[in-house]
Amino acid sequence: MEEQSERVIVNCLPLDEAERARFVEAAGGMRQEFVGDIAQRGDMGWRACVPEPLKARATAVIGNIAPEDCARYPRLEWLQTWSAGVDQYLADGVLGANVRLSNATGAYGQTVAEHMFAMMWSLMKNLPAYTRNQSARRWHDEGRALSPDGATVVVVGTGDIGSRFAGLAKAVGMRTIGVRRDPSRTAEHIDRMVGFDDLDTVLPQADVVAMSVPSTPQTHHLLDAHRLEMLKPTAIVLNAGRGDAIDPDALFDALCSSRLRGAGLDVTEPEPLPADSPLWNEPRCLITPHVAGGNHLAATEERIIAIALQNVRRYAAGEPLRNQVRRIA
């Protein structure tokens, strides 16, 4: 009969047999129940399905269980998500006071940065317009294109995503200006760092504004009508962080009045973007349905699994967890 004190890891990751064996080794004899479905590999997002009897026994869970279900895990002491965002678990009353929380920050930088970069270059080269022309079987020159070579990008949010985007930008000859809360902290591939207080001084220099900030009271409508007016009419705005960082009405006004060259949005306010939003019909706006940070890229899945594997080893050894965003007193 299982001892009440026995620690049990419930692993919801969609693992193959070789990966499961590595997790068994990492746990060092600690009990681990594998409930993930390998068929989910390659899906946009994974689903955590924990059998009811295991909820009462689990001391650790790897996977994004339903926040409203967390109360059904009375012995839980550690939750490892496969997402980078964990706002839903930080809300009052979701997790018990003694539950540690760690996330998958560092897994998504490559896929999101590449998505933003593809959007930027598509807008610079008028590819959305040519795609519409192809659908209409219309042979038509869409006019002047832009090059990233020699352009300046203002990277708003210089964490994993922002610094990776900056690396791609520098590889094609762009100058990078980073914006973060603490400008004394450096970030990879950023030529110059400023604080949010200096955002207004650098926006007029921007050929591209690349945003990947979380949703906070400080970032709500960070790019509003006033700041959009500061941008060059040839500027491109990209957002793959949280949709409410840009005022959608102000963005539409700037686009339809030709005060911006284009916008690439993987996130919107609200989300999903309502069918009656005028942004859908704005030819200067390229929209994707919050898929930049999904699990379609195999490298993303491998990083998520590697982070969780390292933390299983640390959990079993009683060591500090990587990416811990909620600690116990």
Side-chain angles (χ1 to χ4, degrees), residues 70 118 142 166 197:
C70 289
E142 290 294 337
D197 290 344

Side-chain angles (χ1 to χ4, degrees), residues 122-142:
S122 295
L123 290 163
M124 284 183 164
K125 301 302 180 184
N126 301 320
L127 296 189
Y130 288 119
T131 299
R132 290 190 295 273
N133 289 347
Q134 181 177 345
S135 298
R137 303 184 181 187
R138 183 172 181 247
W139 190 274
H140 178 70
D141 179 4
E142 290 294 337

